[in-house]
Amino acid sequence: MPIEILMPALSPTMTEGNLAKWVKKEGDKIRAGDVIAEIETDKATMEVEAVDAGKIAKIVVPAGTENVSVNSLIAVITQDGEEMADLDSFIAKFNKPAPQKTEAPKAATPAAVDAGQPSVVHAPAATSAPGLGAAPRFALPPLTAATKAISAPAAKHDGARAFASPLAKRIAEQEGIDIGLVEGSGPRGRVVKDDVLKAKQQGAGAGFGSSMVRRNPVEYAMEPVSNMRKVIARRLLEAKQFVPHFYLTLDCTLDKLLEVREDINGAAPIGADGKPAYKVSVNDFVIKAVGLAMRKVPGVNASWTDEGVATYSNIDVSVAVAIEGGLITPIVRNADQKHIVAISTEMKELAAKARANKLKPEEFQGGGFSISNLGMYGIKEFSAIINPPQSCILAVGAGEERVVVEKGQMKIATQMSLTLSVDHRVVDGALGAQYLNALKGFLEKPATLLI
C-alpha cells in the first residue's frame, strides 16, 4: 500500500510553508529517519524526516514551491517490490474532495472529514495541532510549556548529522566552523543561520577560531516541590493578595553598637573547650531593639481580624531562619525582657533545632512581629513579605561603611538600612514611622539595650 507524505505542521500555528528543497529524488530508496526535504516557515528552515522505509515513487510538489498548505500531499512512497501502475490516478484520488451527500444532513461525528481535507488516509493520524485538523505524518512535536524537559539531538563530531538548519550547515562548512560547538537559538536548541554568523563574529573577535560554548540541549528540569515549599508559596501568595503592604526605610549608624558588641564578646569567659562561652551578633542586638521598640510603640504588635484589631500583651519576635527547602521563623518570646547574651544563646539553639527539623510547634507558631536579616549575604536593602497574621516584618540589610554628612562635614560611618513592611489595615504611615525611629534610637544608643 502506498504511503503519503503530507506537508507537515512545524508549529501549532503553521498553516502553510515553502518546500525549499528535496534532499531525496524520485526513485531513491529511503530508511526511517532519513532527511527527505527542507521546509521553510516564517521563522526557520527545518528538515522533514521519513518515518517509513521504501522508495520515493513520486514527488508531487516540486522544490521551490511556496505557500504549500499543511496536510496537502507532497510525495508518495512505495514499499520494496511494490509498483504503481497508475500513480497519477492515485494522486488524483487522494486529492479529490470528499463527495457531497444529497440526503438529509446528519449530526456531525468526530470521524467526519472536513471539506477540502484529504479524503483518503492510510495511516493513523499524529497528534493534532489546534485548529488544523489531523496533523501530518511527519510533523515535529510542538513545543509546549507543559513539557518537563526538551532535549535536542546531541551534536556529533564523527560526521553524523547535527541538529541545525541546512543553511546554517552550509555557512558553517564554508567558514570552517564546527557546527556541533555552536549554541542554537532555534526551536529545541536548533542551530540557525544567525547563530553561525554570531559564532563566526565572536570567534574571530576573541581569537578562538571556531571553538564556541555549546548550548545544553535539556532546556530545564522540573524539581518536585516539598510540602514546606508549598505551604510557604501559599502563605506568601495570600499575604501579597490580601494584605495591603506599604514600606518604610531608614538608615541607622552602627559604630557605637559595634564597639559595645566587641566589649561584650571580649568579656566572654573561656570554656573548657577553649572557646568563648558566647558570641553576640548584630542580629541579637536587632532582636532586643525590636522588642524594646515594640514596647515603646505597642500599636505595631497587633493583627487584623474580622472582629477588630487584636493587640498582643506579650512581645514575641519571630526570626526567619533559612533551612533546606525553605525557611522557618522560630520565636524569641518576651524579647524585650531578656539580656543580649540570653537572646544570643537562645537564638543559636533555635536555629540549630530548626535546621535539624526538631522545633516544637510552640517554638515557631505565633509571634507578633518578624525579622528577616540578609545582611550576612551582603544585601544592602530589600523589602520582605508580611507573615500573617502579623502586621509588620523588618528587613535588615548589611552594615557597611558609607560617607555621611554630619554638621556640614563629611565622614565615614558604618550604616545599616532597615525596611519595615506594614499592613496598612493595622498600622498607618505615621505609626510605622514612629516605630522605626524608636528602633533607630535603640540601635544608635546601644547602652539603652543593656539596662
Side-chain angles (χ1 to χ4, degrees):
M1 180 67 67
I3 300 171
E4 312 85 19
I5 301 178
L6 307 181
M7 183 66 174
L10 302 179
S11 71
T13 58
M14 177 179 168
T15 58
E16 59 183 24
N18 302 334
L19 207 162
K21 176 183 176 182
W22 281 103
V23 178
K24 301 292 185 179
K25 61 183 183 295
E26 289 185 1
D28 285 353
K29 291 185 177 181
I30 59 174
R31 296 173 300 176
D34 285 351
V35 176
I36 58 175
E38 296 174 4
I39 304 296
E40 290 181 353
T41 69
D42 58 341
K43 298 177 181 178
T45 299
M46 303 184 72
E47 297 168 345
V48 177
E49 297 181 356
V51 296
D52 295 290
K55 180 180 70 174
I56 297 183
K58 180 68 174 181
I59 291 178
V60 179
V61 178
T65 304
E66 299 182 352
N67 304 324
V68 181
S69 299
V70 167
N71 283 348
S72 60
L73 182 68
I74 59 175
V76 177
I77 296 176
T78 56
Q79 300 297 322
D80 290 342
E82 183 181 31
E83 297 295 337
M84 291 290 295
D86 193 352
L87 195 58
D88 291 336
S89 298
F90 172 81
I91 295 172
K93 179 181 178 181
F94 182 90
N95 287 327
K96 183 178 179 181
Q100 301 294 325
K101 296 183 179 181
T102 57
E103 59 192 42
K106 297 181 181 180
T109 64
V113 180
D114 295 335
Q117 295 295 318
S119 59
V120 177
V121 179
H122 297 279
T127 303
S128 297
L132 298 182
R137 290 174 53 83
F138 302 98
L140 295 174
L143 300 177
T144 65
T147 305
K148 288 187 177 181
I150 304 174
S151 300
K156 299 180 180 180
H157 303 282
D158 56 358
R161 183 173 61 87
F163 194 64
S165 72
L167 181 57
K169 292 179 183 178
R170 286 195 291 271
I171 296 176
E173 183 178 357
Q174 293 170 0
E175 300 295 338
I177 297 174
D178 186 348
I179 195 73
L181 298 177
V182 178
E183 180 180 351
S185 63
R188 300 187 300 161
R190 190 183 189 86
V191 178
V192 296
K193 177 187 72 173
D194 290 343
D195 298 327
V196 179
L197 296 178
K198 182 179 178 181
K200 175 187 174 183
Q201 182 180 5
Q202 291 179 343
F208 296 116
S210 62
S211 179
M212 301 297 298
V213 176
R214 183 172 176 268
R215 182 179 177 84
N216 191 329
V218 179
E219 295 293 344
Y220 63 89
M222 190 69 71
E223 295 289 340
V225 179
S226 66
N227 289 333
M228 174 183 292
R229 178 55 62 183
K230 290 179 181 178
V231 172
I232 291 172
R234 184 179 70 251
R235 288 178 61 84
L236 293 180
L237 178 62
E238 291 172 353
K240 289 298 284 186
Q241 283 181 324
F242 300 113
V243 177
H245 287 59
F246 76 93
Y247 310 93
L248 301 170
T249 301
L250 58 68
D251 300 329
C252 61
T253 302
L254 296 180
D255 294 291
K256 290 183 179 180
L257 186 148
L258 294 177
E259 292 176 3
V260 171
R261 172 177 175 265
E262 185 176 357
D263 291 341
I264 292 176
N265 289 336
I270 304 300
D273 58 357
K275 297 181 180 179
Y278 56 81
K279 186 176 182 180
V280 177
S281 68
V282 172
N283 197 56
D284 299 327
F285 281 91
V286 173
I287 295 171
K288 175 70 173 182
V290 163
L292 290 176
M294 289 169 68
R295 182 200 295 176
K296 188 172 183 178
V297 186
V300 302
N301 190 21
S303 294
W304 176 267
T305 71
D306 292 337
E307 292 76 24
V309 176
T311 302
Y312 301 113
S313 304
N314 297 303
I315 295 176
D316 302 328
V317 179
S318 304
V319 182
V321 174
I323 61 176
E324 185 177 358
L327 57 85
I328 197 167
T329 53
I331 301 168
V332 179
R333 300 194 183 275
N334 303 112
D336 60 319
Q337 303 175 39
K338 294 178 178 176
H339 191 272
I340 289 290
V341 175
I343 290 176
S344 178
T345 302
E346 181 178 351
M347 194 61 231
K348 286 180 174 62
E349 293 175 353
L350 288 171
K353 292 174 71 174
R355 295 187 179 101
N357 196 27
K358 294 183 179 180
L359 283 176
K360 299 177 182 178
E362 60 269 20
E363 292 176 321
F364 64 88
Q365 292 179 356
F369 191 106
S370 287
I371 298 173
S372 180
N373 190 341
L374 294 179
M376 67 286 293
Y377 299 105
I379 301 301
K380 178 180 179 181
E381 178 183 337
F382 68 103
S383 299
I385 300 176
I386 294 171
N387 182 24
Q390 299 173 6
S391 59
C392 295
I393 182 170
L394 182 73
V396 182
E400 58 181 7
E401 290 187 339
R402 303 176 189 171
V403 177
V404 298
V405 178
E406 185 176 310
K407 297 180 181 180
Q409 299 294 322
M410 289 189 299
K411 69 173 188 177
I412 303 297
T414 303
Q415 290 200 317
M416 177 173 66
S417 295
L418 304 173
T419 299
L420 184 67
S421 303
V422 177
D423 182 349
H424 211 328
R425 297 173 300 178
V426 180
V427 180
D428 294 326
L431 183 61
Q434 291 173 25
Y435 176 80
L436 270 185
N437 279 283
L439 178 61
K440 176 183 174 75
F442 285 116
L443 291 173
E444 292 189 343
K445 298 177 182 179
T448 59
L449 300 175
L450 306 177
I451 299 175

